Amino acid sequence: MSFNAILLEKEATTGFVSSLKSVSKQQLLAQQGDTLIQVAYSSINYKDALALTNKSPVVRQWPMVPGIDGVGCVVECASGRYQKGEQVILNGWGCGETHWGCLSQYAYLKSDWLIPLPNNLTPYQAMVIGTAGYTAALCVERIVDFGIKPHHGMVLVTGASGGVGSVAISLLARLGYQVTASTSKIDEAHYLQKLGAVNVIDSQTLKEAGKPLQKEQWSAVVDAVGSHTLANACAQTQYGGIVACCGLAQGMDLPATVAPFILRGVTLAGVDSVMASYDKRVSAWQLLSQQLDAQILANIGQTVTLNECVEVANNMIAGQIKGRYVVDVNK
């Protein structure tokens, strides 16, 4: 059996190459796993874009099939955890970095990495959500569990036009929070308002160095940007508020002071989606399946083929995309 997959290769003579290739089942089963999945859809996340363009050392083993997200049907499961035909979701666990991922028609994975597809989501909808949306749900749950209520004040979402931001806005709005969206794409304000944002601000106002303490504006923050944006968000968070940090689109540095944390009691909460526990994953996906409606997902998602992934990745790195890109691996 052979099938199509995007293969990333790096050789001393040819350098980095990303191409659509025919891959054998034997090559796939050389990966460490116990569950063979026939993939229906994958998606393109920022980490995938870095791998597809080789803009950052995301890939740790060569050759590599990228794709940190996938949804599909179980073909066989040696552990017995899943039955043939069950629909499952993969997010993270080093896929696309140290283990072949899901920008492929088949994937060979560990059953411990998988969760069942919620009954009220289609496979396509699950990949509109993907790791970006699942990460957003983890951030929102962190804010809710911290005790921030809608009446406590405005919630800021940075990187609002991206996948994490788009889903975070939708979830927060459905839960009754007032959301301010920060974006570099001010012409996309209508898109963000349709998702539930009540205010849209230019992200440039957060991107430069600011004062250690600034006017208190946010009861909570979902930040996918990092660097000065995260530092300013912390400096603007209300007394006792929380900043859920999950990304580094602007940079992985944090040019901040301790002032917001020791003078206002602000909590900076790191949110990891790659190695989150099974229970956290299931809880986040249940929140997503219950609170995101089909029309919102339709507004966020666009469908591309395996052949189009590199072009989308380049546009994503250049900051020229909005929403989520779902990959139909069978086209």
Side-chain angles (χ1 to χ4, degrees), residues 129-143 163-169 171-172 222 244 246 271 273 284 287-288:
I129 295 168
T131 282
Y134 148 64
T135 303
L138 290 172
C139 291
V140 171
E141 288 199 320
R142 192 66 184 269
I143 290 169
V164 173
S166 296
V167 177
I169 292 168
L171 284 176
L172 288 163
V222 174
C246 66
V271 174
S273 62
L287 174 65
L288 291 159

Side-chain angles (χ1 to χ4, degrees), residues 1-4 25 28-29 34-42 69-77 82-90 101-109 114 117 123-124 127 306 327-331:
M1 181 185 80
S2 62
F3 54 91
N4 292 328
K25 183 178 180 181
L28 179 64
L29 295 184
D34 58 26
T35 306
L36 181 63
I37 304 296
Q38 184 173 7
V39 181
Y41 297 99
S42 184
D69 282 342
V71 63
C73 287
V74 173
V75 177
E76 54 191 51
C77 179
Y82 294 101
Q83 301 300 310
K84 182 178 180 179
E86 282 192 71
Q87 296 190 98
V88 292
I89 299 172
L90 169 82
C102 292
L103 285 173
S104 168
Q105 292 177 310
Y106 286 87
Y108 192 51
L109 308 167
L114 306 170
L117 175 70
Y124 177 82
M127 286 299 98
L306 284 173
V327 183
D328 186 337
V329 300
N330 297 301
K331 290 186 177 179

Side-chain angles (χ1 to χ4, degrees), residues 42-114:
S42 184
S43 68
I44 305 177
N45 298 279
Y46 194 75
K47 187 180 286 186
D48 297 315
L50 292 172
L52 285 160
T53 59
N54 198 36
K55 296 292 186 183
S56 182
V58 169
V59 177
R60 308 301 172 87
Q61 295 179 16
W62 305 91
M64 178 58 61
V65 174
I68 66 176
D69 282 342
V71 63
C73 287
V74 173
V75 177
E76 54 191 51
C77 179
S79 73
R81 185 165 188 167
Y82 294 101
Q83 301 300 310
K84 182 178 180 179
E86 282 192 71
Q87 296 190 98
V88 292
I89 299 172
L90 169 82
N91 302 116
W93 292 109
C95 289
E97 301 175 73
T98 59
H99 189 98
W100 281 17
C102 292
L103 285 173
S104 168
Q105 292 177 310
Y106 286 87
Y108 192 51
L109 308 167
K110 294 183 179 180
S111 56
D112 288 347
W113 299 346
L114 306 170

Side-chain angles (χ1 to χ4, degrees), residues 85-326:
E86 282 192 71
Q87 296 190 98
V88 292
I89 299 172
L90 169 82
N91 302 116
W93 292 109
C95 289
E97 301 175 73
T98 59
H99 189 98
W100 281 17
C102 292
L103 285 173
S104 168
Q105 292 177 310
Y106 286 87
Y108 192 51
L109 308 167
K110 294 183 179 180
S111 56
D112 288 347
W113 299 346
L114 306 170
I115 67 165
L117 175 70
N119 291 333
N120 48 341
L121 286 177
T122 68
Y124 177 82
Q125 289 172 331
M127 286 299 98
V128 173
I129 295 168
T131 282
Y134 148 64
T135 303
L138 290 172
C139 291
V140 171
E141 288 199 320
R142 192 66 184 269
I143 290 169
V144 172
D145 291 346
F146 190 76
I148 300 298
K149 307 292 185 185
H151 68 265
H152 288 151
M154 190 73 67
V155 177
L156 174 68
V157 175
T158 68
S161 298
V164 173
S166 296
V167 177
I169 292 168
S170 301
L171 284 176
L172 288 163
R174 285 294 294 268
L175 292 172
Y177 294 88
Q178 298 272 295
V179 180
T180 289
S182 168
T183 180
S184 60
K185 306 177 183 70
I186 290 298
D187 57 343
E188 299 289 353
H190 181 62
Y191 163 76
L192 297 170
Q193 288 163 349
K194 284 176 67 177
L195 296 179
V198 296
N199 295 317
V200 179
I201 62 173
D202 190 335
S203 63
Q204 195 59 43
T205 62
L206 296 169
K207 284 185 175 179
E208 304 299 329
K211 293 180 180 179
L213 285 177
Q214 301 171 36
K215 180 182 178 182
E216 297 179 54
Q217 299 186 62
W218 324 116
S219 64
V221 178
V222 174
D223 177 68
V225 178
S227 193
H228 287 292
T229 296
L230 176 56
N232 286 319
C234 291
Q236 295 173 8
T237 298
Q238 297 170 8
Y239 190 94
I242 183 172
V243 178
C245 165
C246 66
L248 42 69
Q250 185 181 357
M252 65 185 300
D253 59 319
L254 180 56
T257 75
V258 298
F261 313 115
I262 64 173
L263 297 180
R264 289 183 180 164
V266 171
T267 294
L268 178 57
V271 174
D272 167 63
S273 62
V274 178
M275 300 293 180
S277 69
Y278 178 85
D279 288 344
K280 283 185 176 180
R281 289 168 183 267
V282 170
S283 177
W285 276 99
Q286 286 301 319
L287 174 65
L288 291 159
S289 68
Q290 292 164 5
Q291 297 297 337
L292 289 180
D293 64 39
Q295 189 54 55
I296 289 290
L297 292 173
N299 290 340
I300 294 173
Q302 301 181 55
T303 307
V304 296
T305 66
L306 284 173
N307 264 324
E308 296 172 295
C309 287
V310 173
E311 179 183 357
V312 171
N314 278 304
N315 291 338
M316 187 174 287
I317 297 296
Q320 297 172 349
I321 62 98
K322 69 176 182 180
R324 292 278 298 156
Y325 284 79
V326 176

